[in-house]
Amino acid sequence: MKKVMMGNHAISHGATLARVQVIAAYPITPQTQVVELLSEIVADGKLKAEFIKVESEHSAMAACIGASSAGARAFTATSAQGLALMHELLHWAAGARLPIVMADINRAMAPPWTIWTDQNDSLSQRDTGWMQIYCQSNQEVLDSVIMAYKVAEKVLMPIMIVLDAFSLSHTYEIVDLPDQALVDKYLPPFDYKYKLDVKNPHTYGGLTTPDWYMEFRVKMHEAMDQALVEIKKEAGEFEKIFGRRYDTVDPYLVEDAETVLVTSGTAASTARFTVDQLRAQGKKVGNLRMRVLRPFPFADVREQLKNAKKVIVIDRNISYGYHGIWAQEVKSALYGHSKVPVFNFIAGLGGRDIFPETIADIVALVDKKKKPDQELYWVEVKR
Amino acid sequence: MVEIRFHGRGGQGTVIASKILADAVSKEDKYVQAFPQFGVERRGAPVFAFIRIDDKPIYIRSKIIAPDHIIVVDPSLIDAIDVTEGLKKGAFILINTGHQPKEFQHLGKDFRVFTIDANEIAIKYKLGSKAAPIVNTAILGAVPRIFDFVRLESIIQAVRDGVPVNPDANAAAAKEAYDSVQGV
């Protein structure tokens, strides 16, 4: 059924269709409508779930960890400072191997206070052991929540579904709401092998000496490697049932492109639009949209960028004193495999708009250079 | 692609109007994207909403700075801000007012003005109160009269689905607005 909905409600509908059993969340702009709608759906009896009101994001994740440990399908959503407050428990959820799914609506970090989008909130949780999936449309948001449970429950690692504040969260567009019966066919109930059971008591996460701690970490890393296999497998499985395909990366006209833009989130969507404009002017430009940050799709990135003469990474984030974070990832993947020059542009922090003209200007600047003469380039900054 | 900017004041339901228009367009086998001005909205302050309509998927996601057309929900804004900022030549301007289009010639020769007295229609159908009529549905009824991307039937269906109360009165207001647009 086709329905016009905002990105926040696409998350709520995705979680509902995934038949989540426990929702624990604390409101924060721009995430608020996600849990508003979910609380209504639960109160109306349309979803059989426990809705737990908590006093902070730290508690929201703690409740999800408890619920997931008991074998429930758990869900939460947050943004920015809320995600940062969860940080300790993000490690806990991943270390305890709990397949929790969370939506993070990318909001820039304070101070100064802001409610608008950039990716520093989610990217600074890169090393917590959570998979991260970046979306460019409300349809992808809804579908990704459903797919996330399939992958997470297969490999027993948590997943963060990430989308831009406002440009998706508060933007209305047409979303095909899948049939519940089809979703049920795709996503069976969660049957957690290690769930807490009073009849068969266990304790988890207790003190582990140097003799064994590292082995737990090896298992987590191997689970992430397996997650990459599962994400690619589910791209096909999901497409078979729903007709929409989501892989680790989303290439657009890269095969013959001399310059390839590497982008993510809604900036990637606008970059794709810009590629059409630049192609119409005869410029051989393509766009590689990064969808999965962790597990990092090394092979796909190397394959898609193998013909490029120049790579431009546009980062809506910054690792102060280094590069944009996607640029680090892409450079690291290419090192030793390719000599293609990688240009890094920082744009759109704190919700500053990234227009097609912004992207076209970046391409025009790179056209004039053989290789980068700066570590990174700031875009449209007042001095 | 058609890009339209709505001008209203916080609390008038301008964003909801853009959402209902998106609902209506979605019934036309077209692609649509509607969004508010991203930020903090205050009651009574000037607010914007935007809508994009196309026959193919819409990938551009930046703000609309040069709209093809504008819809002015609150006519007092015409004296308060430059509603025609960035507006393209040949644009249509739909204004909620009891005045005639020729009274808005000062907006410029490059544009064509249409008017609809949505306040009067809303009051007639008891939508909202006399002091604060809910003018959304009447404004939307005027849209298919001047634009060809959406039919009146789709507007009426979207209005019926989108209003919390009085679907019949809202639908009738939309129909009456369609028949009363000035400047066509």
Side-chain angles (χ1 to χ4, degrees), chain A residues 57-110:
Chain A
E57 288 84 357
H58 191 274
S59 303
M61 186 48 64
C64 286
I65 287 170
S68 189
S69 303
R73 191 169 277 166
F75 178 79
T76 189
T78 192
S79 291
Q81 316 299 122
L83 183 65
L85 186 58
M86 282 183 188
H87 177 73
E88 179 207 357
L89 291 169
L90 296 183
H91 282 283
W92 196 276
R97 309 292 304 274
L98 298 170
I100 298 164
V101 174
M102 162 164 62
D104 178 60
I105 293 89
N106 270 147
R107 159 179 158 174
M109 295 298 296

Side-chain angles (χ1 to χ4, degrees), chain A residues 3-5 115-116 136-138 165-168 170-174 266 269-270 272-273 276 353-357, chain B residues 1 15 18-19 22-26 30-40 58-65:
Chain A
K3 222 173 132 84
V4 173
M5 66 175 79
I115 54 170
W116 292 275
Q136 71 163 353
S137 73
N138 292 352
F166 301 107
S167 325
L168 282 191
H170 287 63
T171 294
Y172 292 98
E173 55 188 10
I174 300 169
T266 53
S269 187
T270 301
R272 179 180 169 146
F273 177 88
D276 283 339
D353 226 324
I354 298 177
F355 293 101
E357 295 78 8
Chain B
M1 183 157 60
V15 175
S18 71
K19 198 267 176 180
D23 282 336
V25 172
S26 75
K30 287 184 191 305
Y31 294 88
V32 65
Q33 189 191 80
F35 51 97
Q37 180 186 28
F38 302 152
V40 277
I58 301 168
Y59 286 102
I60 182 171
R61 291 192 178 275
S62 49
K63 195 168 77 180
I64 296 168
I65 47 173

